[in-house]
């Protein structure tokens, strides 16, 4: 063992002893519990802030703090220790939890507390070479079952759901004591609401990183990069079905635990190279850059070599390893760095027989590789049409598709139907909304287009191809809520729906009534905040499900998702249909949340057989024509329908009508449609529409199966009294109908036809609408400003500004990967601008159109921010040199210390930019807390439609 200026460096064997265990953590102190609202803790709401904040308070057995959860309204401190399995258990048996929930339900038993401990980092900087000259040591840290925590003064994101995929890398002073402060939250949705006293526990993993980044025994350089093999989803491979790979892409996530950016240059197969070959999925790039302390799932194209005979036996027992070529960049990311290599452990491909459930992989909307489980139809030739419907099944919280694909067998095997269970991009964090639903659609579209896992001998069979526009939507628990969401938001794709134990929406599953901030916030502002999640209220959109066969299932004593939810949705469906038989409720007496047969008993089987066309084909004539067969594989087109939309961005078509814009965003919009009866057999029907709060709509390019139904063809369209003679072109998606603003013309025409999509260059539309969480529906590039020294504040504060911005960039990247397994690239502003022509951010390549950006810093601190905001006028601006946030058109200004700004802004014709900035480091930190990392967070869109209203309320809230 040698030394270098007093620093110790250990050989690999000695280092492994340190790596194999946690860094020691001392006894943990905890404060007693305080209330918190559902999802409110993500914003940092904390009663202790009124008394200086937990991190400023010293442990004092005599200290008391107010809390409405406890007797006499006060709580104190107590201590606890980590158990032998590494868990810190948080229990408060003396609080009367059962009594507390009598009047507000289980949501009142959601609590938060604080835990604190200390640790000392060993004085070891193994293999960090020149980068250890700062005297600091790298550690990795993560806390399970925790939303956020602090190491000293640095806020980090925990692993709420125990996915096990992520770690933070920190550089800390060795030999000195560091403080770990943990916000402990018993979140009812995660840990349960019926167990009393409510249980909560967390675990801390604090380790030294792998001993990489040194010269090996033969002089080979090993970069500070880890293969993410913990948890589920770090490594994704497909199955093989009768010797056929079910997909052509795999994914291996890498974590950069070093202090310098690295670039993955190439990948190759080592073990197994006679059977497989591999390459990075996107060969147009010079490499895949991984910013320090971030993760990236690397998309890899895997092929079976043609010289290997396509038989199952050659796959059996086959394993392969991958070797990545990695370049470590110099600190300024310029010039060539050191080249090293990283090898995975053995990866294996599971063998399946045709007809068994199997996993297949596909590239999602952002280019990342994801997976789904599938069961093919056993008798596709008997399908009444050339393609097969898809039974899409959405799993509940805590179910991992890769570990239990045979959950699909709960559905009785259908002769003519594909059964697909998507992973849903870690759906627990996204609740089958937004990016999660886009993942579902990508899974189905990929299966239909590529038939992964289908042997060549079967691909030409009639009925083998899945039809992505004929979905039987099903799911359980959170997946049941997802089935309601699909039915109410993408009704034209639904042929039938079976939500089992599905809740109405997140706010009714665990109410938001316990928010602490409600006592401080203007009611009008609360309305605007809540408008950002109203689009996910399935009950509000229930009119869209009218006409779809629906069977809702629930157990009469379900104490997880009470039967109230299913009963309410059924009532709403029947009310909208004006028919008490329109939607069926199957409530099983004495059964709870999950029971044998919930998905495949006699009631379910009958419903499946009826609406998956095992028997429906008998409705066709004895010798049906192609058009007649197509007509029976969809529910009949209605004579009337009512379309409800809150946000066009998350809404598909209903009756072939796609709402493109609302007059007032996030306010309810409706279209009431009536199809008139025809007087003559050859006369096309007239469609009469009456709209409320609709500015623009179009007709979707529906599949031919719907186009053949004569009701779908329009002779005349009447919209709010404005008549149009319809042509085939006007029925296509390239035309839109737009409502004129201002006074009516002399003719009284209120609507007109727009024959191109040029309006998207100047106006907000479905891809640029918002709210803020919509930024996650494309690949995200984080652009980190590098000019915080130009700030008007002191040099010391500028350095703190830069450190805060760097940490926030890593936090955002961490959260997108953790909650949705999204691929996030972090670039400096100069690196980002180098990709585009000088002084312009015009997107020229197709790849650019799939990218949304998150900009850290204002236009002075981040030059990319300045250029993006110049592209299109912004009603909200921030100027750190002048120390002001301005809101137009009234010129309202905010100068207070700690003021921050998070907003979205159109970038180009179809992309979004999110700006995260602050007048000082505290403001930047406050704004970053608003990043919508999971559903249920009340983060609206900044839009000119809200500005006049917001000015009047923000001035009150920000001066509290």
């Amino acid at each position: 063992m040698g030394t270098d200026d007093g620093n110790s460096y250990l050989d690999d064997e000695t280092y492994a002893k340190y790596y194999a265990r946690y860094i020691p953590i001392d006894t943990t102190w905890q404060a007693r519990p305080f209330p918190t609202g559902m999802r409110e803790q993500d914003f940092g709401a904390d009663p202790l802030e009124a008394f200086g904040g937990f991190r400023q308070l010293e442990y004092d057995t005599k200290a008391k703090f107010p809390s409405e959860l406890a007797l006499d309204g006060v709580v104190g401190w107590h201590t606890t220790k980590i158990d032998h399995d590494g868990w810190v258990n948080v229990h408060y048996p003396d609080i009367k939890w059962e009594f507390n929930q009598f009047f507000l339900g289980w949501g009142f038993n959601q609590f938060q507390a604080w835990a604190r401990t200390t640790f000392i980092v060993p004085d070891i900087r193994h293999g960090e070479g020149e980068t250890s000259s700062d005297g600091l040591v790298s550690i990795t840290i993560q806390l399970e079952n925790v939303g956020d925590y602090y190491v000293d003064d640095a806020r980090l994101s925990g692993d709420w759901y125990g996915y096990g995929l992520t770690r933070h890398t920190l550089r800390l002073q060795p030999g000195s004591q560091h403080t770990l402060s943990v916000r402990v939250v018993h979140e009812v949705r995660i840990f349960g609401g019926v167990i009393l006293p409510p249980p909560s526990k967390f675990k801390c993993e604090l380790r030294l990183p792998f001993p990489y980044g040194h010269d090996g025994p033969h002089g080979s350089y090993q970069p500070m990069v880890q293969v993410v093999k913990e948890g589920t989803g770090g490594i994704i491979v497909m199955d093989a079905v009768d010797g056929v790979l079910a997909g052509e892409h795999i994914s291996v996530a890498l974590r950069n635990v070093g202090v310098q950016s690295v670039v993955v240059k190439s990948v190759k197969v080592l073990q197994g190279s006679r059977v497989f070959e591999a390459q990075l999925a996107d060969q147009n790039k010079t490499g895949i850059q991984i910013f320090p302390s971030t993760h990236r799932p690397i998309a890899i194209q895997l092929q079976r070599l043609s010289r290997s005979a396509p038989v199952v036996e050659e796959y059996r027992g086959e394993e392969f390893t991958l070797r990545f070529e990695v370049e470590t960049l110099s600190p300024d990311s310029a010039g060539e760095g050191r080249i090293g290599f990283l090898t995975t452990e053995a990866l294996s491909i599971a063998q399946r027989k045709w007809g068994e459930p199997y996993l297949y992989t596909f590239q999602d909307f952002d280019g990342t590789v994801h997976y789904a489980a599938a069961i093919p139809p056993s008798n596709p030739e008997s399908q009444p049409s050339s393609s097969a419907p898809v039974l899409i099944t959405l799993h509940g919280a805590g179910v991992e598709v890769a570990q239990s694909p045979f959950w699909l067998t709960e559905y009785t095997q259908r002769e003519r139907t594909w059964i697909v269970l998507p992973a849903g991009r870690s759906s627990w964090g996204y609740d089958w909304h937004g990016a999660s639903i886009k993942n579902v659609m990508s899974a189905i579209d990929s299966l239909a287009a590529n038939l992964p896992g289908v042997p060549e001998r079967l691909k030409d069979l009639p009925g083998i191809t899945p039809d992505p526009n004929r979905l039987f939507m099903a799911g359980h628990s959170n997946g049941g809520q997802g089935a309601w969401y699909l039915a109410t938001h993408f009704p034209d794709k639904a042929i039938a729906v079976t939500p089992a134990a599905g809740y109405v929406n997140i706010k009714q599953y665990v109410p938001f009534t316990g928010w602490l901030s409600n006592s401080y916030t203007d009611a009008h502002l609360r309305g605007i905040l809540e408008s950002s999640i109203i689009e996910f209220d399935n009950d509000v959109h229930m009119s869209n499900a009218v006409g779809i066969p629906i069977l809702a299932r629930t157990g009469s004593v379900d104490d997880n998702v009470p039967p109230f939810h299913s009963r309410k949705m059924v009532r709403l469906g029947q009310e909208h249909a004006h028919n008490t038989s329109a939607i069926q409720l199957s409530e099983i007496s004495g059964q709870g949340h999950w029971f044998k047969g919930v998905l495949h008993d006699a009631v379910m089987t009958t419903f499946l057989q009826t609406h998956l066309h095992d028997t429906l084909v008998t409705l066709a004539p004895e010798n049906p024509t192609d058009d007649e067969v197509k007509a029976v594989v969809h529910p009949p087109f209605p004579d009337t329908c009512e379309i409800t939309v809150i946000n066009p961005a998350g809404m598909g078509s209903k009756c072939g009508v796609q709402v493109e814009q609302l007059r007032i965003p996030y306010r309810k919009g409706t279209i009431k449609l009536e199809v008139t009866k025809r007087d003559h057999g050859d006369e096309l029907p007239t469609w009469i529409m009456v709209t409320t709060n609709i500015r623009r709509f179009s007709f979707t390019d529906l599949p031919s199966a719907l186009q053949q139904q004569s009701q779908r063809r329009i002779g005349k369209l009447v919209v709010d009294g404005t008549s149009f003679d319809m042509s085939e072109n006007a029925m296509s998606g390239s035309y839109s109908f737009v409502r004129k603003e201002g006074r009516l013309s002399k003719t009284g025409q209120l609507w007109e036809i727009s024959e191109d999509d040029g309006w998207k260059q100047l106006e907000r539309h479905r891809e640029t609408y918002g709210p803020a969480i919509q930024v996650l529906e494309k690949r995200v590039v984080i652009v980190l400003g590098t000019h915080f020294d130009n700030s008007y504040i002191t040099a010391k504060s500028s350095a703190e500004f830069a450190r805060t911005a760097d940490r926030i960039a890593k936090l955002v990247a961490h959260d997108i990967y953790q909650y949705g397994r999204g691929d996030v690239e972090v670039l400096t502003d100069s690196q980002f601008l180098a990709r585009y022509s000088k002084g312009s951010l015009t997107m020229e390549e197709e790849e650019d159109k799939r990218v949304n950006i998150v900009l850290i810093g204002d236009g002075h601190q981040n030059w990319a921010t300045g250029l993006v905001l110049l592209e299109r006028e912004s009603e909200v601006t921030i100027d750190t040199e002048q120390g002001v946030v301005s809101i137009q058109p009234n010129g309202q200004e905010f100068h207070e210390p700690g003021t921050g700004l998070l907003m979205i802004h159109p970038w180009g014709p179809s992309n979004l930019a999110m700006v995260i900035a602050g007048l000082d480091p505290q403001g930047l930190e406050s704004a970053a807390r608003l990043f919508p990392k999971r559903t249920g967070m009340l983060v609206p869109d900044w839009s000119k439609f809200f500005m006049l209203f917001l000015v009047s309320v923000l001035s009150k809230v920000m001066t509290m």
Side-chain angles (χ1 to χ4, degrees):
M1 180 170 64
T3 60
D4 182 10
D5 60 24
N7 299 328
S8 0
Y9 293 88
L10 304 184
D11 58 80
D12 287 352
E13 181 180 355
T14 307
Y15 185 93
K17 295 179 181 178
Y18 283 92
Y19 170 69
R21 63 179 176 85
Y22 296 119
I23 294 173
I25 298 177
D26 292 338
T27 301
T28 302
W29 291 270
Q30 295 180 338
R32 286 284 182 118
F34 300 93
T36 184
M38 172 57 59
R39 294 296 195 262
E40 187 181 28
Q41 61 274 13
D42 289 326
F43 298 124
D46 179 15
L48 284 177
E49 289 298 316
F51 308 100
F54 173 78
R55 289 181 295 120
Q56 305 302 319
L57 297 173
E58 296 294 333
Y59 175 70
D60 182 354
T61 56
K62 297 180 181 180
K64 301 293 182 182
F65 302 97
S67 172
E68 54 265 50
L69 296 180
L71 289 174
D72 300 321
V74 294
V75 295
W77 297 71
H78 79 280
T79 64
T80 186
K81 291 183 178 292
I82 301 173
D83 68 20
H84 65 281
D85 293 321
W87 290 97
V88 179
N89 291 278
V90 182
H91 293 289
Y92 301 100
D94 54 328
I95 291 180
K96 298 184 180 301
W97 297 106
E98 186 173 4
F99 176 80
N100 283 349
Q101 73 178 22
F102 278 158
F103 65 99
L104 281 179
W106 60 8
F108 191 65
N109 285 343
Q110 182 154 312
F111 69 83
Q112 63 177 319
W114 280 96
R116 180 163 59 206
T117 190
T118 59
F119 63 92
I120 297 176
V121 177
D123 190 8
I124 300 167
R125 272 149 285 155
H126 178 65
E128 296 186 31
E130 297 177 358
T131 62
S132 63
S133 60
D134 58 5
L136 304 180
V137 171
S138 294
I139 68 162
T140 61
I141 185 171
Q142 188 55 291
L143 271 71
E144 185 176 343
N145 288 8
V146 165
D148 63 340
Y149 58 96
Y150 290 81
V151 174
D152 297 331
D153 292 326
R155 179 177 63 89
L156 303 173
S157 295
D159 183 1
W160 257 128
Y161 304 112
Y163 291 146
L165 291 176
T166 59
R167 307 287 184 271
H168 296 282
T169 305
L170 300 178
R171 298 278 291 168
L172 298 178
Q173 185 69 42
S176 61
Q177 183 171 277
H178 299 277
T179 301
L180 176 62
S181 303
V182 183
R183 183 194 300 270
V184 184
V185 177
H186 172 75
E187 186 173 286
V188 171
R189 283 200 63 201
I190 301 175
F191 307 119
V194 297
I195 302 174
L196 297 176
S200 186
K201 64 179 182 178
F202 67 92
K203 179 184 288 188
C204 176
E205 181 188 278
L206 182 62
R207 297 188 179 188
L208 299 166
F210 286 132
Y212 287 174
H214 65 290
D215 290 330
H218 305 293
S220 60
Y221 175 70
Q222 295 182 329
M224 295 280 286
V225 179
Q226 298 176 335
V227 175
V228 179
K229 55 187 178 181
E230 311 91 350
T232 301
I235 297 174
I236 292 178
V237 296
M238 72 290 280
D239 290 347
V241 182
D242 287 352
V244 175
L245 291 180
E248 59 179 274
H249 293 93
I250 65 173
S251 177
V252 176
L254 301 181
R255 177 188 303 124
N256 183 357
V257 297
V259 297
Q260 297 169 238
S261 292
V262 300
V263 173
V264 180
K265 306 288 287 186
S266 64
V267 65
K268 64 180 294 187
V269 177
L270 291 183
Q271 178 188 344
S273 59
R274 290 184 297 175
V275 179
F276 304 107
E277 65 178 5
Q279 62 181 10
L280 299 179
D282 191 344
Q283 290 298 299
N284 295 324
K285 294 182 178 179
T286 57
I288 300 172
Q289 181 172 321
I290 310 178
F291 199 71
S293 189
T294 64
H295 310 70
R296 291 198 69 179
I298 309 300
I300 300 163
Q301 191 169 21
L302 185 71
Q303 282 187 307
R304 189 175 188 278
L305 296 176
S306 58
R307 61 176 177 271
S308 298
V311 293
V312 178
E313 286 73 20
E314 293 208 12
Y315 279 100
R316 189 163 297 148
E318 283 287 351
E319 293 183 340
F320 64 98
T321 60
L322 297 174
R323 187 184 193 190
F324 294 95
E325 178 188 14
V326 180
E327 178 182 17
T328 302
L329 299 180
S330 57
D332 60 0
S333 299
E336 293 186 1
R338 302 181 71 182
I339 300 292
F341 298 93
L342 178 66
T343 304
T344 68
E345 296 179 353
L347 310 178
S348 60
I349 295 177
Q351 309 304 310
R352 310 293 182 198
K353 295 180 180 179
W354 178 253
E356 294 179 342
Y358 68 90
L359 297 180
Y360 70 93
T361 60
F362 59 93
Q363 281 196 286
D364 207 0
F365 58 85
D366 61 351
T368 54
V369 176
H370 287 261
Y371 66 94
I375 301 179
S378 61
N379 187 15
E381 302 98 318
S382 63
Q383 180 59 230
S385 62
S386 59
S387 59
V390 178
L391 171 57
I392 184 75
T393 66
L394 308 183
H395 60 77
V399 176
E400 179 49 59
V401 176
Q403 295 175 341
S404 55
F406 293 90
W407 186 80
L408 285 171
T409 58
E410 286 291 323
Y411 286 91
T412 304
Q413 172 66 51
R414 309 260 43 89
E415 291 186 351
R416 306 181 181 99
T417 306
W418 278 92
I419 306 176
V420 176
L421 174 62
R425 298 180 77 95
S426 304
S427 63
W428 204 351
Y430 290 163
D431 287 325
W432 301 111
H433 300 156
S436 184
I437 285 296
K438 292 191 74 171
N439 176 266
V440 171
M441 299 306 180
S442 293
I444 299 169
D445 291 342
S446 176
L447 185 64
N450 305 314
L451 297 180
V454 179
E456 289 294 331
R457 69 181 187 276
L458 300 175
K459 287 188 175 181
D460 292 332
L461 283 179
I464 197 67
T465 302
D467 187 343
N469 292 297
R470 287 196 291 147
L471 304 182
F472 189 115
M473 301 165 176
H476 178 263
S477 193
N478 191 13
Q481 177 275 149
W484 283 122
Y485 181 80
L486 281 171
T488 56
H489 289 69
F490 299 90
D492 274 351
K493 289 180 175 290
I495 56 176
V497 186
T498 56
Y503 54 88
V504 175
N505 57 50
I506 183 176
K507 295 178 301 180
Q508 294 190 46
Y509 183 36
V510 181
F512 279 43
T513 52
W515 273 51
L516 301 172
S517 54
N518 285 349
S519 302
Y520 292 89
T521 309
D522 181 274
H524 289 240
L525 178 58
R526 284 207 305 270
I528 291 176
L529 296 176
E530 291 181 9
S531 73
S532 65
I533 63 171
I534 296 298
E535 65 173 290
F536 305 126
D537 286 3
N538 297 319
D539 52 333
V540 174
H541 294 80
M542 196 59 193
S543 74
N544 299 325
V546 172
I548 303 172
I550 297 177
L551 172 65
R553 305 217 76 195
T554 184
S556 67
V557 292
D558 187 345
D559 60 3
N560 187 318
V561 181
F564 155 84
H565 293 270
S566 296
R567 296 168 186 166
K568 178 174 181 176
M569 293 298 286
V570 169
R571 172 182 63 81
L572 289 169
Q574 293 175 352
E575 288 177 357
H576 280 288
H578 308 291
N579 181 354
T580 57
S581 302
I583 295 180
Q584 302 177 51
L585 175 66
S586 173
E587 184 170 320
I588 311 302
S589 178
Q591 295 294 348
H593 189 56
W594 177 268
F595 53 91
K596 185 177 181 180
V598 62
L599 301 173
H600 64 93
D601 64 4
V603 173
M604 177 67 77
T605 298
T606 299
F607 189 77
L608 288 168
Q609 288 177 338
T610 301
H611 299 290
L612 284 176
H613 314 301
D614 284 2
T615 59
L616 187 59
V617 71
T618 60
L619 299 177
E622 183 175 353
N623 297 305
T625 65
D626 289 344
D627 289 350
E628 288 170 330
V629 169
K630 290 173 182 177
V632 300
V633 295
H634 281 276
F637 196 85
D639 292 329
T640 63
C641 70
E642 181 175 346
I643 303 166
T644 301
V645 59
I646 300 293
N647 184 6
M651 182 77 191
S653 63
K654 169 69 174 176
C655 296
V657 178
Q658 177 70 63
V659 176
E660 301 286 351
Q661 290 179 312
L662 298 176
R663 299 182 66 194
I664 303 176
Y666 311 110
R667 298 288 299 273
K668 182 179 178 181
T670 62
I671 299 177
K672 294 184 178 180
L673 167 64
E674 179 181 358
V675 180
T676 63
K677 301 294 185 181
R678 295 167 295 168
D679 294 330
H680 305 286
D682 58 349
E683 183 181 343
L684 293 176
T686 295
W687 282 29
I688 301 175
M689 290 183 175
V690 178
T691 75
T692 302
N693 194 36
I694 304 294
R695 184 171 188 272
R696 188 186 299 265
F697 68 88
S698 62
F699 291 98
T700 57
D701 292 317
L702 293 178
S704 58
L706 279 181
Q707 294 284 12
Q708 296 300 324
Q709 298 185 50
S710 60
Q711 294 98 326
R712 272 289 295 117
R713 300 171 61 196
I714 305 175
K716 185 169 69 172
L717 175 67
V718 181
V719 187
D720 295 332
T722 302
S723 297
F724 300 93
D725 288 324
M726 300 299 290
S727 65
E728 292 296 330
N729 288 337
M731 287 293 293
S732 72
S734 60
Y735 286 73
S736 64
F737 295 80
V738 60
R739 190 182 193 277
K740 296 179 180 180
E741 299 300 331
R743 301 181 65 180
L744 295 178
S745 65
K746 293 181 180 179
T747 62
Q749 294 287 93
L750 194 60
W751 289 80
E752 62 185 3
I753 293 181
S754 175
E755 298 185 4
D756 59 51
D757 59 1
W759 60 275
K760 293 183 179 181
Q761 304 287 334
L762 302 173
E763 302 177 31
R764 303 289 281 272
H765 54 89
R766 286 191 293 139
E767 289 188 273
T768 58
Y769 239 123
I773 198 171
Q774 193 175 342
V775 77
L776 302 178
E777 296 186 26
K778 292 186 178 180
R779 190 170 74 86
V780 174
V781 172
I782 299 172
V783 185
L784 175 61
T786 57
H787 307 283
F788 291 91
D789 55 339
N790 292 335
S791 177
Y792 72 100
I793 58 179
T794 65
K796 180 180 179 181
S797 295
S798 294
E800 182 185 355
F801 228 145
R803 288 193 299 270
T804 302
D806 179 80
R807 176 172 52 81
I808 286 170
K810 295 171 181 177
L811 274 180
V812 172
H814 169 279
D815 292 344
I816 295 174
Y817 174 69
Q818 173 171 263
Y819 287 100
R821 212 180 164 278
D823 180 28
V824 182
E825 184 176 19
V826 181
L827 300 173
T828 65
D829 50 1
S830 57
Q831 289 175 325
F832 181 76
L833 294 176
R835 290 188 177 180
Y836 299 89
S837 56
K838 189 173 182 180
S840 172
L841 293 180
T842 302
M843 292 173 287
E844 297 178 354
E845 299 182 6
E846 190 63 31
E847 171 69 15
D848 295 329
K849 297 178 182 178
R850 291 192 300 158
V851 173
N852 290 332
I853 54 178
V854 175
L855 302 160
I856 311 296
D858 80 333
H860 298 291
Q861 302 160 340
N862 187 328
W863 289 347
T865 303
L867 285 177
V868 168
L869 295 183
L870 283 175
E871 278 190 343
R872 193 179 299 190
E873 181 182 357
S874 175
E875 297 85 11
V876 186
T877 59
I878 181 169
D879 189 327
T880 53
E881 289 195 346
Q882 299 297 320
V884 61
V885 174
S886 302
I887 299 179
Q888 300 300 329
N890 284 6
Q892 182 75 37
E893 295 185 345
F894 302 93
H895 302 270
E896 294 81 1
T899 299
L901 172 68
L902 182 143
M903 71 172 183
I904 58 172
H905 185 78
W907 172 45
S910 59
N911 300 76
L912 281 174
M914 174 182 284
V915 178
I916 303 177
L919 298 184
D920 52 27
Q922 180 185 351
L924 182 60
E925 170 72 14
S926 297
R929 271 198 170 277
L930 300 178
F931 180 77
K933 57 189 178 184
R934 56 181 182 154
T935 54
M937 294 183 65
L938 308 182
V939 188
D941 173 23
W942 290 96
S943 168
K944 66 181 181 182
F945 298 98
F946 288 145
M947 285 307 104
L948 291 174
F949 186 60
L950 277 175
V951 167
S952 64
V953 294
L954 280 178
S955 58
K956 302 175 186 177
V957 175
M958 298 186 72
T959 55
M960 284 179 178

